[in-house]
Amino acid sequence: MGTIIDAADKVANGNSLTEKKVKVVFVLGGPGSGKGTQCANIVEHFGYTHLSAGDLLRAEIKSGSENGTMIQNMIKEGKIVPSEVTIKLLQRAMQENSNDKFLIDGFPRNEENRAAFESVTGIGPEFVLFFDCSEEEMERRLLSRNQGREDDNIDTIRKRFKVFLESSLPVIEYYSLNGKVRKIDAAKPVGEVFEAVKAVFTPTESDDKAV
C-alpha cells in the first residue's frame, strides 16, 4: 500500500497543493443525511468545487482498473477503502481543477484517513461540515430513493451505518476538540437545512473578502 502513497507524493511534489493555497472543507454525515444535495447548493452559491470520495471511487470501479475491482469488493462488504487509494484520487482531482476551494464529501471516513490526508497533502480543513441525522431518517431516505445504486439495499445500508458510527464519529470528535466542526441538523427539510449551511459559509466568505 505504501507504493500508492509514494506515487501520490510524487504527483504532489510536481504540483504542490499547498503552494496552490487550496481551501478544503470536509463534509461528513451518515449515508442518506443529504450531503450530496447540500454540496450542490454550496457549489452554486459559494463557488466551491464538490469532490465526492464515493463518486471518485465509483468512477475508478467503472474504469475497470485493478484498484477499481478491489474497491468494488470492499464496498459490497461495507468496508472502508484504504486511505492511500482515496487520497490519490482526491489529490489528482484537486490538482487537475483550476479552482482553489473544495468540498470533500464523505472523507475522511476514519482517523487513519484523516491523519494520512493531512500528512500526504499537507492540507488541514478550514472546517468540517457535519450533517447530523437519525439512523431511522437516513434509512427511510435511502430505501425511498431509486438511484440504481448497488449499495442501497437494507443489509448493506445497515452495514454502512455501523461503519459510519464506529469509524467516522471519532474523526468528528477529533475536529470538535479543535473547534473545527460546524454541526447541521440534517433531519429538517432541504430548504431549512441549506439556510443553516449558508449561515456557516457566509462569515467565511465575508472574511475572505475583507482580507
Side-chain angles (χ1 to χ4, degrees):
M1 292 199 305
T3 54
I4 303 176
I5 279 195
D6 292 342
D9 273 332
K10 284 175 187 172
V11 176
N13 290 337
N15 184 6
S16 175
L17 290 174
T18 52
E19 284 176 19
K20 191 181 174 183
K21 294 182 181 176
V22 167
K23 178 191 284 188
V24 167
V25 173
F26 288 146
V27 183
L28 295 176
S33 60
K35 300 191 309 296
T37 299
Q38 296 302 328
C39 283
N41 289 334
I42 295 165
V43 167
E44 183 180 346
H45 284 80
F46 296 106
Y48 279 72
T49 293
H50 176 210
L51 297 178
S52 163
D55 286 350
L56 290 172
L57 291 167
R58 281 186 282 276
E60 191 70 11
I61 289 169
K62 283 184 181 176
S63 76
S65 70
E66 189 178 337
N67 270 350
T69 303
M70 177 201 69
I71 291 164
Q72 185 173 36
N73 291 335
M74 295 194 80
I75 288 175
K76 277 183 182 175
E77 293 169 17
K79 292 181 181 176
I80 288 179
V81 173
S83 301
E84 298 90 336
V85 175
T86 310
I87 291 168
K88 183 180 176 184
L89 296 174
L90 287 167
Q91 271 193 304
R92 186 171 68 196
M94 285 191 285
Q95 286 159 346
E96 290 174 353
N97 194 294
S98 59
N99 201 356
D100 61 357
K101 299 191 298 184
F102 296 94
L103 299 172
I104 297 186
D105 173 5
F107 189 91
R109 297 281 299 276
N110 58 27
E111 268 293 290
E112 195 236 342
N113 277 180
R114 179 198 65 74
F117 182 88
E118 294 188 10
S119 171
V120 171
T121 66
I123 299 168
E126 295 289 312
F127 58 87
V128 177
L129 194 62
F130 172 41
F131 289 99
D132 192 21
C133 194
S134 72
E135 186 171 326
E136 293 75 20
E137 174 62 16
M138 290 189 287
E139 185 174 305
R140 186 192 66 75
R141 291 176 181 178
L142 287 172
L143 291 174
S144 65
R145 76 184 188 184
N146 181 20
Q147 296 184 351
R149 273 177 53 174
E150 205 174 302
D151 54 351
D152 277 354
N153 64 70
I154 190 68
D155 290 336
T156 306
I157 285 169
R158 287 178 177 163
K159 281 181 189 172
R160 289 167 68 201
F161 286 148
K162 187 170 183 287
V163 168
F164 176 74
L165 289 171
E166 291 175 354
S167 303
S168 298
L169 288 184
V171 175
I172 293 160
E173 287 166 11
Y174 171 88
Y175 284 119
S176 291
L177 291 174
N178 289 278
K180 287 195 168 188
V181 172
R182 308 291 180 265
K183 187 171 167 181
I184 304 291
D185 181 355
K188 293 181 178 179
V190 172
E192 289 181 38
V193 173
F194 188 52
E195 287 305 311
V197 169
K198 280 199 284 190
V200 169
F201 277 85
T202 302
T204 303
E205 296 303 304
S206 300
D207 290 347
D208 286 347
K209 289 170 185 172
V211 172

